[in-house]
Amino acid sequence: MKLDAKNLRYLTKDDFRTLVSVEMGMKNHELVPVNLICTIANLKYGGTKKSITTLHKFKLLFHDARKYDGYKLTYLGYDFLALKTLVQRGVCAYVGNQIGVGKESDIYIVADEDNKEMVLKLHRLGRTSFKTIKNNRDYLKHRKSASWLYLSRLAALKEFAYMKALHDNGFPVPTPIDYNRHTIVMSRVRGYPMTQIMELRHPTKVYNDLMNLLVKLANYGLIHGDFNEFNILISDEEEITLIDFPQMVSTSHINAEMYFDRDVNCIRTFFEKRFGFIGQKWPKLADCQNIHSLDVQIAASGFTRDLEKDFDKLAEEQIDLSDDENIDNDNDNDEEEENNNNNEEENNEEEEENNEEEEQEQEQEEGYHEIETSDEEEEESDSDESVENNKQVIEEFHGLSLNKNRDFKFSNLKDDDNAPIILRKEYIQEIGEIEGEPVDGDFEQYVETPEERKKRKEEEKKRAIADKVKRQLNNKKGGKMSVRNTVKSKNKRERMDHIKAYK
Ligand SMILES: Nc1ncnc2c1ncn2[C@@H]1O[C@H](COP(=O)(O)OP(=O)(O)OP(=O)(O)O)[C@@H](O)[C@H]1O
């Protein structure tokens, strides 16, 4: 689900009031009837209906009339509510490009009023577990209708709580900034996922840093449980940052030793295969001293033991879940059903959507969306002014649309160092393309316009990178592989297999 933040500025206070009412109604209704929305929003029927039409048009609400007529939030609707809160708190003011996508999250660049770049992570836990949860009565307990809202919210809270506790204790993780609903805002780490790194200047140092990190975690009573090259970012200076820790387990867990060894082996095997580096020493759980505890700090952020139990139960269920295709099918079916319900509405809206698409394309070219939350009347002048006043940010986000994150930099080469610099696969590919002669003999005879040539080059580059990454991941399924996405498009099961292969 693409986060199209520009529509935020077209929503009025009443629209948001209606959206929040649907969110509240969903606590005990799978679908919230219009009358209930009116009551919660304390708005007149006509006004509520108008807002609902707007929200539905922007795909913030899902309409279903099969069992009874009602509405529920879409991911986008939930995103908007969280974004609006973050904007009101002054945490962020701009939304940039998407820089990552995981099975359970989408990652965007955002910026605050001072143009400070940060990362917004939108948890999408429900997109894989919604069906199972609905059927799990035991889990529902007092809730009449559990939903992905709750699941994603828990995931975000958990990540924020752990990130904060780890950060406060000097662990190399992004700085947690804020969270709301299913989103967290954190500092942007300058680096690349280790899976993209082809060579290291100091493999011994990086290897030791990683092993020391595992030991330090264990000293704090934690085992990562999924410590691999996908969850570690590495900077040009070869500093490591742990970005994702969804399944931390305690060192008192019955299988703690197995998890710890698996984490260690993941890194050892990766270093051996990728860098030809064989670590001579590696830690054992028995050598670690469990001297600190993060429990109090984690609970202080709101992620209590009870919530953790709830969440762990859900996480277990998720492992058994079906693959992406099923989920996509589900979504497609849902959308189809919605289409049937709303055929008439859609015909009327078609023209408007076309206009919207044009607008979106235009904004995509700009590479950023300014978040505007004031009333409709002020919108145009405000946004124009902000665009004028924030050229710097626009330029920054222009760069991001080309995925700056993946640009190779030659900087930071130590002068005393003759060792090879970090080279990522994509860059090697790019060098080949820039330096190599055109292979095809006919190519020179064909007169291309500069635009055509640029476009062709870009497409070739994208194809080559995608092929390379596909081969690297041995992704037999093919499908939704994108250059930017890389390994994060692997589903959980594939990743578990990948990890098992290291044993
Ligand atoms: N703080 C950050 N700074 C820079 N890039 C980041 C940051 N957080 C995430 N990313 C980028 O987004 C990608 C996905 O992030 P992350 O691993 O947290 O997602 P995820 O949904 O947990 O993935 P999965 O569920 O598939 O394990 C990362 O590979 C990284 O490139």
Side-chain angles (χ1 to χ4, degrees), residues 470-491:
K470 265 186 196 167
R471 252 180 285 132
Q472 180 190 353
L473 298 175
N474 193 18
N475 187 340
K476 288 175 189 129
K477 274 179 79 181
K480 292 180 180 174
M481 181 68 63
S482 80
V483 180
R484 211 168 46 193
N485 186 347
T486 66
V487 296
K488 288 298 163 188
S489 61
K490 281 187 150 194
N491 67 30

Side-chain angles (χ1 to χ4, degrees), residues 424-436:
R424 293 178 302 120
K425 277 193 173 182
E426 294 85 332
Y427 192 70
I428 292 170
Q429 185 73 38
E430 278 173 35
I431 294 175
E433 281 180 19
I434 295 161
E435 292 181 350

Side-chain angles (χ1 to χ4, degrees), residues 301-468:
S301 298
F303 194 65
T304 56
R305 279 267 166 228
D306 282 351
L307 287 180
E308 184 148 22
K309 273 184 207 153
D310 258 7
F311 187 75
D312 288 346
K313 204 168 171 187
L314 293 172
E316 271 172 35
E317 285 164 9
Q318 268 208 304
I319 292 172
D320 300 330
L321 282 171
S322 54
D323 57 356
D324 275 336
E325 276 169 27
N326 287 341
I327 293 135
D328 284 348
N329 286 341
D330 286 345
N331 291 342
D332 288 347
N333 290 341
D334 280 351
E335 267 166 33
E336 251 176 58
E337 279 154 2
E338 189 189 17
N339 287 347
N340 292 338
N341 291 335
N342 299 303
N343 262 347
E344 274 180 32
E345 259 177 77
E346 278 195 8
N347 287 339
N348 295 339
E349 283 169 16
E350 210 169 284
E351 208 179 301
E352 280 171 41
E353 274 174 18
N354 286 342
N355 293 341
E356 250 177 64
E357 267 169 30
E358 269 171 37
E359 251 179 70
Q360 275 170 10
E361 273 168 25
Q362 211 177 330
E363 294 231 16
Q364 264 169 8
E365 274 167 32
E366 289 174 7
Y368 82 104
H369 301 302
E370 184 197 355
I371 303 170
E372 182 62 67
T373 56
S374 56
D375 288 337
E376 264 179 332
E377 296 79 42
E378 297 163 17
E379 280 157 14
E380 270 184 32
S381 57
D382 273 0
S383 67
D384 286 351
E385 201 183 313
S386 306
V387 170
E388 267 307 301
N389 292 343
N390 290 288
K391 286 222 164 89
Q392 200 189 337
V393 142
I394 297 166
E395 274 164 27
E396 280 294 286
F397 288 152
H398 255 305
L400 288 168
S401 68
L402 299 172
N403 210 346
K404 226 179 193 178
N405 195 23
R406 297 169 66 84
D407 282 350
F408 179 80
K409 294 189 191 86
F410 278 100
S411 56
N412 305 311
L413 260 180
K414 304 261 185 315
D415 21 273
D416 59 332
D417 214 343
N418 292 323
I421 51 174
I422 299 174
L423 277 187
R424 293 178 302 120
K425 277 193 173 182
E426 294 85 332
Y427 192 70
I428 292 170
Q429 185 73 38
E430 278 173 35
I431 294 175
E433 281 180 19
I434 295 161
E435 292 181 350
E437 291 294 319
V439 195
D440 190 352
D442 295 333
F443 175 66
E444 285 188 354
Q445 290 162 20
Y446 175 66
V447 183
E448 285 176 310
T449 64
E451 286 78 13
E452 278 174 345
R453 183 179 150 76
K454 198 173 156 210
K455 203 172 157 203
R456 181 179 55 77
K457 283 273 175 200
E458 265 170 19
E459 270 166 15
E460 278 174 8
K461 200 190 287 179
K462 273 186 196 164
R463 250 201 318 276
I465 294 170
D467 285 347
K468 200 109 188 174

Side-chain angles (χ1 to χ4, degrees), residues 122-170:
L122 302 147
H123 281 266
R124 307 287 195 209
L125 202 74
R127 75 178 158 200
T128 59
S129 56
F130 189 26
K131 285 218 149 180
T132 315
I133 300 309
K134 271 205 298 189
N135 297 331
N136 186 342
R137 295 287 146 197
D138 180 41
Y139 170 71
L140 296 180
K141 288 180 201 156
H142 53 281
R143 290 174 211 98
K144 285 187 187 150
S145 136
S147 77
W148 49 267
L149 302 183
Y150 180 65
L151 302 175
S152 303
R153 192 188 278 251
L154 270 189
L157 178 58
K158 179 179 182 183
E159 183 163 12
F160 185 84
Y162 271 89
M163 196 182 286
K164 185 152 183 358
L166 291 173
H167 184 263
D168 291 350
N169 284 284

Side-chain angles (χ1 to χ4, degrees), residues 99-107 109 118-119 121-123 127 159 163 174-175 186-193 196 226 230-233 241 243-246 405 484-492 495:
I99 57 160
V101 55
K103 189 170 171 58
E104 294 166 349
S105 72
D106 289 327
I107 319 282
I109 288 287
M118 294 165 294
V119 163
K121 182 165 178 175
L122 302 147
H123 281 266
R127 75 178 158 200
E159 183 163 12
M163 196 182 286
T175 313
M186 59 184 134
S187 63
R188 184 179 180 199
V189 178
R190 296 284 171 178
Y192 322 99
Q196 294 178 11
D226 192 16
F230 307 126
N231 292 327
I232 296 159
L233 294 187
T241 309
I243 51 160
D244 195 19
F245 20 86
N405 195 23
R484 211 168 46 193
N485 186 347
T486 66
V487 296
K488 288 298 163 188
S489 61
K490 281 187 150 194
N491 67 30
K492 208 96 195 169
R495 290 180 59 187

